């Protein structure tokens, strides 16, 4: 599927589709655009050189994106916006993208696991926009993120109750993990939960701060930086506010 004036493939309001085994390249917009589509399985496709994203999900829930290859799509590998929830993104190979995987505000309870993300500007980005569109309860686990031009994992502006476990992040030009203005207060204070970071390995990232946070409440366990040993405040970990934190080894 190639050289189309808009998307390579678009679904709208449909469910239980299987999209498998396609080569989708050089389309003007997205390779795949799923608009309020749910419970689709997208597997074993090669998506490259498209003018927007490899996979763009607008709303919908319960989609599975598995074992796809993404290469040099203009606006990113996978983008989930407008309350795209409970999607599973696993075992994909993503390279040379602006953001390997990008979640926008309201994209709650997504699972991002066992992906290999190489040479993107940012590996994984969560951007919640504002307090009324926070991102809640996503799992980011066992991903390998290498050679990001900026941050390996960027959790930006109002992401709560994230579980970041067992990721290996190496060679980022900026930070391995960057948490900027986390846990922005929502209208319902009962929804403001700390983010949890466990058993992540940060190797040869920016020498100033492999792990950076600028506020909020976060819990750390066995967070390792191979250049410094266990991250401690004032070493690889940078804290720019009176944040509450706990580090256990």
């Amino acid at each position: 599927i190639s050289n189309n004036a808009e998307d390579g493939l678009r679904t709208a309001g449909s469910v239980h589709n299987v999209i498998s085994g396609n080569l989708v390249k050089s389309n003007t917009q997205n390779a795949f655009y799923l608009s309020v589509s749910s419970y689709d399985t997208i597997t074993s496709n090669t998506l490259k050189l498209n003018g927007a994203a490899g996979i763009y999900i607008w709303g919908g829930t319960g989609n599975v994106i598995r074992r796809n290859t993404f290469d040099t799509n203009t606006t990113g590998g996978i983008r989930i916006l407008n309350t795209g929830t409970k999607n599973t993104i696993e075992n994909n190979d993503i390279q040379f993208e602006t953001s390997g995987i990008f979640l926008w505000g309201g994209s709650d309870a997504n699972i991002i696991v066992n992906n290999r993300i190489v040479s993107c500007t940012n590996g994984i980005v969560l951007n919640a926009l504002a307090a009324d569109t926070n991102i809640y309860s996503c799992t980011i686990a066992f991903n390998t993120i290498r050679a990001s031009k900026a941050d390996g994992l960027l959790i930006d502006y109002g992401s709560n109750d994230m579980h970041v476990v067992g990721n290996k992040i190496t060679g980022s030009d900026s930070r391995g993990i960057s948490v900027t203005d986390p846990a922005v207060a929502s209208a319902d204070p009962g929804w403001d939960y700390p983010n949890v970071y466990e058993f992540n390995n940060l190797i040869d990232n920016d020498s100033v701060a492999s792990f950076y946070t600028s506020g909020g409440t976060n819990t750390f366990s066995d967070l390792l930086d191979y250049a410094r040993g266990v991250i401690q405040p004032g070493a690889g970990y940078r804290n720019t506010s009176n944040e509450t934190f706990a580090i256990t080894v």
Side-chain angles (χ1 to χ4, degrees), residues 84-95:
T85 62
K86 299 181 180 178
N87 300 289
T88 298
I89 302 169
E90 61 180 356
N91 291 313
N92 298 283
D93 288 289
I94 304 172
Q95 64 179 358

Side-chain angles (χ1 to χ4, degrees), residues 67-132:
R67 291 194 300 272
N68 300 283
T69 299
F70 300 81
D71 188 343
T72 320
N73 299 288
T74 300
T75 63
I78 300 168
R79 294 175 64 85
I80 299 180
L81 291 85
N82 192 38
T83 65
T85 62
K86 299 181 180 178
N87 300 289
T88 298
I89 302 169
E90 61 180 356
N91 291 313
N92 298 283
D93 288 289
I94 304 172
Q95 64 179 358
F96 303 119
E97 308 285 2
T98 50
S99 297
I101 299 170
F102 184 100
L103 305 186
W104 205 251
S107 297
D108 301 337
N110 290 289
I111 298 172
I112 301 171
V113 62
N114 283 327
N115 299 284
R116 292 158 297 280
I117 303 172
V118 180
S119 297
C120 296
T121 303
N122 293 293
I124 299 173
V125 178
L126 280 66
N127 189 329
L129 292 176
D132 59 348

Side-chain angles (χ1 to χ4, degrees), residues 179 181-184 194 213-218 237 239 241-245:
V179 185
D181 197 16
V184 173
T213 181
S214 62
T217 302
N218 298 284
Y237 170 90
N239 177 22
S241 69
N242 295 319
E243 180 181 356
T244 300
F245 61 89

Side-chain angles (χ1 to χ4, degrees), residues 30-206:
N30 307 284
F32 297 154
Y33 181 175
L34 280 62
S35 176
V36 200
S37 296
S38 298
Y39 308 109
D40 292 338
T41 298
I42 304 173
T43 183
S44 302
N45 301 282
T46 297
L47 314 174
K48 64 180 184 179
L49 299 171
N50 294 286
I55 296 176
Y56 185 102
I57 295 178
W58 180 264
T61 189
N63 298 293
V64 176
I65 302 170
R66 178 186 295 136
R67 291 194 300 272
N68 300 283
T69 299
F70 300 81
D71 188 343
T72 320
N73 299 288
T74 300
T75 63
I78 300 168
R79 294 175 64 85
I80 299 180
L81 291 85
N82 192 38
T83 65
T85 62
K86 299 181 180 178
N87 300 289
T88 298
I89 302 169
E90 61 180 356
N91 291 313
N92 298 283
D93 288 289
I94 304 172
Q95 64 179 358
F96 303 119
E97 308 285 2
T98 50
S99 297
I101 299 170
F102 184 100
L103 305 186
W104 205 251
S107 297
D108 301 337
N110 290 289
I111 298 172
I112 301 171
V113 62
N114 283 327
N115 299 284
R116 292 158 297 280
I117 303 172
V118 180
S119 297
C120 296
T121 303
N122 293 293
I124 299 173
V125 178
L126 280 66
N127 189 329
L129 292 176
D132 59 348
T133 54
N134 287 2
I135 300 174
Y136 295 104
S137 304
C138 293
T139 298
I140 302 170
F142 307 113
N143 300 285
T144 298
I145 304 173
R146 294 193 290 113
S148 299
K149 304 306 179 187
D151 297 319
L153 169 59
L154 174 59
I155 297 178
D156 188 22
Y157 200 91
S159 298
N160 295 264
D161 192 32
M162 300 295 119
H163 291 78
V164 180
V165 179
N167 300 283
K168 183 177 180 181
I169 303 175
T170 65
S172 303
D173 287 352
S174 187
R175 296 149 181 151
I177 299 175
S178 183
V179 185
T180 61
D181 197 16
V184 173
S186 68
D188 178 4
W191 276 96
D192 291 328
Y193 298 115
N195 299 318
V196 176
Y197 304 87
E198 297 181 299
F199 304 107
N200 297 285
N201 291 331
L202 311 179
I203 306 171
D204 294 330
N205 297 290
D206 168 58

